[in-house]
Amino acid sequence: MIKITNLSYRYPDGTLALNSVNLDIKKGEFVVIAGKNGCGKSTLLRSINGLILPSEGSVAVNGMYTSDRSRVMDIRRMAGMIFQNPESQFIGMTVEEDVAFGPENLSLSTEEIHKLVEKSLRAVEMHEFRDHTPRILSGGQKQKIALASVLAMEPGIILLDEVTTMLDPDSRNEILSLVKRLHENGTTIVYVTHLLEELVHADRLVVMEEGRIMHDGDPRTILSQAKVTTFGFNLPPIIELSRKLRDSGIIDRTTFPLSKDELMEALCQLK
Amino acid sequence: MSIEVKDLNHFYNKGTSLEKHALDDVNFVIDKGEFVLIGGEVGSGKSTLVRHFNGLLKPDSGSVKINDIDAGDKKVRSHLGLLMQNPQKQLFGRTVFEDISFGPSNFGSKGEALKKRVVDALDLVGLGPEYTEISPFSLSGGQMRLVALAGILAMEPEYLVLDEPTSGLDPENRYSLLSTLKGLHCSGLSVVVVSHQVDEILPLADKVILLKKGRLAFVGTPEEYLSSVSSPLPEITSFMKLLNQAGFDVRDNIYSVDDAFQEIVRSLKIVEVEQNE
């Protein structure tokens, strides 16, 4: 579905942000791209919907190349993107107007637009806020509206760039479970983060360092490799505890609990 | 010598239909030299509270005093520095030097003494003197935040108050900022951190103040906090509480991975012995 081949990207000042990146993402996958600030993860994400064009190599979404300017709008419709700062994504006076903006540009009938807006706002459980101005909403609610605006375009792929960084823990969990639900309904998710605790629902982890892909595979396998801490993360406390219990043979080495629930289950089996 | 908050009340949009009682009879004292975590959910009044510390907001009733000086008095600003959320937005200088020297030069510092203050302040946040002549806008987000912090340290405050200082930083920058704060506290500075990230601040704190819907919900030591408050708790603490509910016999007033590991090992051994008998 997304095919990235030998992708390099150089900033105008010459810095190499992406260095020969190869990545194939299949339909329906939930991929987390992680790495420290400056590793190129956001640049990679922005390359997928053509916000950034390759210096070398290519990016294709459903067979359409981002370098083909006539297809960029189709690509963006297919791959919707949400950014870190919820403030910077609003254009409408009301929530409804904001979510309707995308569909309005697809020259649909008023009725169809209403249907899409209604459906998207319901999907993020924000339909009661349709007449509100986005300004007075909380950060978490704003991110939900941003997500609804993307959903209104019925994209097959959703690209998320550190969308929970500015949110408190409760709103973060809400956004995470919304993303999980979208994935379960068949949407392809590409999720950039530096918080490994957000990895729990992903079926694939890509770790980047200095513009290159260092690891790519099953999250539990990658995390159980000894040198995890060297790629610039402090492991989240629950994952660290889980790893310690696993390394010392207390819990079964064939499993790797990544959340409180999973670790609890593993420990209860020992009782 | 202390920050003394007495019967503090603050309203937003007073007298309108949007009136919000943001701070409701808040009372506490922060002694000089303490490291304090002010916690609470988004909208609990944390930021509103600390904006009273240097007179950015005025109480609707009650008082805030810093070393017995009313917080509204400009003199307070040489005693207490406030680093707001996203402080990189407050940078304005053409060079890092211009930015950091702005505060102290307004209080009469100049020449070599001013230069020394700037270099010393940079040193405190772990940046070398070579940073003075470059533009703050060419720095990374984490470094910009350190420069903003240096600008406050150059005022040589006794109290350093930071509003969500680690939000949006990656783990590496987070860690270095936290160790900078630890170092500053060890050198005698009072540090007050507003944060909903209990996990990272609690291990450094002597005192925890928790706000809920504008009211004071808790004041005490981190140990008392872990045993008496139900949320927000560090990840490990809340996991240990879950284990207890599931019938494991573990201490739940702990927050470090190592302590948790020891407790789990201990409790599983007991279970094993019982099974053997």
Side-chain angles (χ1 to χ4, degrees), chain B residues 18-19 63 128 140 168 254 265 273:
Chain B
L18 294 172
E19 178 173 301
S63 66
S140 74
I254 51 177
V265 169
V273 173

Side-chain angles (χ1 to χ4, degrees), chain A:
Chain A
M1 185 155 213
I2 301 171
K3 192 166 174 60
I4 298 172
T5 316
N6 290 326
L7 172 66
S8 293
Y9 179 74
R10 207 175 277 284
Y11 282 113
D13 70 358
T15 326
L16 198 58
L18 295 174
N19 191 351
S20 302
V21 171
N22 286 293
L23 188 65
D24 273 352
I25 296 174
K26 289 185 196 66
K27 190 171 159 35
E29 271 193 309
F30 186 155
V31 183
V32 163
I33 303 181
K36 44 184 168 177
N37 284 3
C39 70
K41 55 190 192 301
S42 296
T43 311
L44 179 60
L45 196 71
R46 286 172 160 83
S47 303
I48 296 177
N49 71 347
L51 282 179
I52 279 178
L53 295 176
S55 304
E56 280 159 46
S58 65
V59 178
V61 178
N62 275 353
M64 299 181 290
Y65 286 92
T66 56
S67 52
D68 179 354
R69 293 188 66 165
S70 64
R71 308 310 291 271
V72 166
M73 281 306 141
D74 292 328
I75 290 175
R76 292 201 185 143
R77 192 179 157 185
M78 206 174 293
M81 187 156 186
I82 302 163
F83 299 90
Q84 188 179 77
N85 188 347
E87 304 285 340
S88 57
Q89 311 172 52
F90 289 111
I91 33 133
M93 292 294 286
T94 64
V95 163
E96 193 166 36
E97 209 175 287
D98 206 89
V99 177
F101 180 79
E104 276 167 2
N105 284 318
L106 299 178
S107 50
L108 299 172
S109 72
T110 314
E111 200 180 312
E112 280 171 306
I113 292 172
H114 271 299
K115 260 190 210 156
L116 278 173
V117 171
E118 171 79 19
K119 195 175 138 198
S120 314
L121 283 175
R122 279 191 185 275
V124 299
E125 289 157 5
M126 287 295 286
H127 47 283
E128 283 163 20
F129 292 84
R130 73 181 63 202
D131 297 327
H132 284 59
T133 159
R135 293 273 156 242
I136 64 161
L137 302 176
S138 75
Q141 290 171 327
K142 282 179 185 160
Q143 280 305 47
K144 286 199 209 169
I145 300 303
L147 189 55
S149 305
V150 163
L151 292 177
M153 301 295 280
E154 303 190 302
I157 304 166
I158 298 184
L159 312 169
L160 304 105
D161 192 6
E162 307 219 16
V163 289
T164 61
T165 315
M166 301 176 94
L167 307 182
D168 63 296
D170 286 345
S171 320
R172 193 172 96 190
N173 288 335
E174 265 188 80
I175 295 287
L176 285 176
S177 46
L178 278 175
V179 172
K180 183 185 169 213
R181 204 186 310 155
L182 290 171
H183 172 237
E184 284 164 358
N185 294 338
T187 311
T188 307
I189 308 284
V190 187
Y191 191 101
V192 164
T193 185
H194 56 238
L195 299 169
L196 281 183
E197 46 269 69
E198 302 192 337
L199 189 68
V200 186
H201 309 305
D203 38 39
R204 184 169 168 194
L205 170 64
V206 172
V207 180
M208 295 193 62
E209 204 178 304
E210 292 176 3
R212 288 171 185 275
I213 291 180
M214 299 303 286
H215 302 268
D216 178 1
D218 169 55
R220 285 158 223 266
T221 315
I222 293 177
L223 288 177
S224 57
Q225 289 161 3
K227 294 273 162 73
V228 202
T229 39
T230 61
F231 47 74
F233 296 118
N234 284 329
L235 286 178
I238 295 298
I239 298 184
E240 203 184 316
L241 178 59
S242 183
R243 201 167 121 132
K244 230 176 146 167
L245 289 164
R246 193 174 171 274
D247 287 352
S248 53
I250 294 172
I251 55 175
D252 189 354
R253 277 171 212 256
T254 57
T255 62
F256 196 146
L258 295 180
S259 67
K260 280 186 217 160
D261 291 344
E262 291 175 4
L263 184 54
M264 176 71 102
E265 210 183 304
L267 286 172
C268 282
Q269 282 172 7
L270 297 176
K271 258 187 90 175

Side-chain angles (χ1 to χ4, degrees), chain B residues 3 28 30-31 34-38 49-50 53 80-83 158-165 181 185 189-195 201 209:
Chain B
I3 300 176
F28 62 81
I30 293 174
D31 290 316
E34 281 188 311
F35 194 123
V36 179
L37 162 65
I38 300 183
L49 173 64
V50 294
F53 286 6
L80 183 142
L82 174 65
L83 188 75
E158 296 159 52
Y159 302 92
L160 176 64
V161 183
L162 307 102
D163 195 353
E164 301 281 359
L181 294 183
H185 177 235
L189 201 70
S190 313
V191 181
V192 180
V193 180
V194 170
S195 178
I201 311 294
I209 293 171

